[in-house]
Amino acid sequence: MTEQDRTQRITDLDALKVFTHPLRIRLYRALFTARAATASHLADQVDEAVSLVSYHLRKMAAHGFIVEDPGHGTDGRERWWKVSAERGFSFRTADFDDRPEGAAVLAEVTRQLLATRAERYRQYLDQQSAWPREWTDASFSSEYMPLLNAAELGQLAGEIAELMQRWTDRGRAAQDAGDTAGREHVAVQMYGFPFRP
């Protein structure tokens, strides 16, 4: 499997607009975590009507972000979905520089992603006392401020992506082998951007 098969890079502005809707981001993340699910399963997770969830799933499918998963279900009435790229999607600012609307759409999608990430972390903080001590001790929140040039920042991003993919593959392999005891989904959120003090 090539890196391109693992990550769907968005270069089409209309495709990127799919993720300006916060519910689509939540549904995509829920489907990514579940690996395969029906609209009914996802509706329960996001606390929305099945018809609304189905509509948004079709919008994501129209742009190839998700596909039907015929390997699930016992009757023809259930429609199972899965994420089409193993590592999700990515996008680059440079792919939208040549379109006036591109910067605005890119900024909105990034804001939506940031808002959903922040909400997930707030939920953890609110529920932290309900987690066993081993999980709260293992959790972390870090900020680093290295002095880098643009090329080094790009190299750092690549190394972090490789590291996270190695851990993601490890967890998936364990899950596929039936080793699920003591495992939880873990959100790792890191940002790298320039700033001037």
Side-chain angles (χ1 to χ4, degrees), residues 8-183:
Q8 181 174 357
R9 183 162 169 192
I10 304 172
T11 58
D12 176 64
L13 189 58
D14 288 332
L16 185 62
K17 286 179 184 177
V18 166
F19 292 109
T20 59
H21 197 290
L23 180 56
R24 292 183 193 145
I25 293 171
R26 290 174 54 212
L27 288 169
Y28 187 89
R29 285 196 170 135
L31 188 56
F32 189 90
T33 302
R35 297 181 77 181
T38 65
S40 296
H41 294 132
L42 294 170
D44 288 342
Q45 288 185 38
V46 298
D47 196 28
E48 295 288 349
V50 174
S51 58
L52 181 64
V53 168
S54 293
Y55 169 79
H56 287 296
L57 291 173
R58 287 191 304 273
K59 286 289 189 186
M60 289 189 287
H63 290 281
F65 295 112
I66 65 172
V67 294
E68 286 192 56
D69 186 5
H72 286 85
T74 55
D75 63 31
R77 296 176 306 183
E78 280 188 326
R79 193 174 195 182
W80 284 77
W81 297 95
K82 67 179 182 176
V83 171
S84 58
E86 185 179 304
R87 280 184 54 195
F89 65 89
S90 66
F91 51 87
R92 300 251 182 235
T93 304
D95 292 332
F96 302 98
D97 282 348
D98 60 340
R99 289 162 271 185
E101 187 185 10
V105 171
L106 187 72
E108 181 58 25
V109 169
T110 304
R111 283 186 187 97
Q112 292 294 341
L113 289 169
L114 179 60
T116 59
R117 290 171 184 159
E119 177 58 28
R120 177 170 284 170
Y121 191 56
R122 275 193 296 274
Q123 287 173 352
Y124 167 72
L125 293 175
D126 291 345
Q127 301 164 357
Q128 189 172 9
S129 63
W131 283 95
R133 181 67 183 247
E134 65 184 348
W135 283 101
T136 58
D137 285 350
S139 299
F140 66 92
S141 174
S142 302
E143 180 177 15
Y144 306 94
M145 291 183 264
L147 183 61
L148 306 175
N149 62 37
E152 290 167 337
L153 178 58
Q155 183 179 353
L156 173 64
E159 289 177 17
I160 290 170
E162 289 173 12
L163 174 68
M164 292 312 305
Q165 189 57 48
R166 195 168 65 241
W167 282 99
T168 300
D169 291 344
R170 180 178 175 168
R172 288 236 168 133
Q175 182 181 25
D176 291 345
D179 176 14
T180 58
R183 293 186 182 276

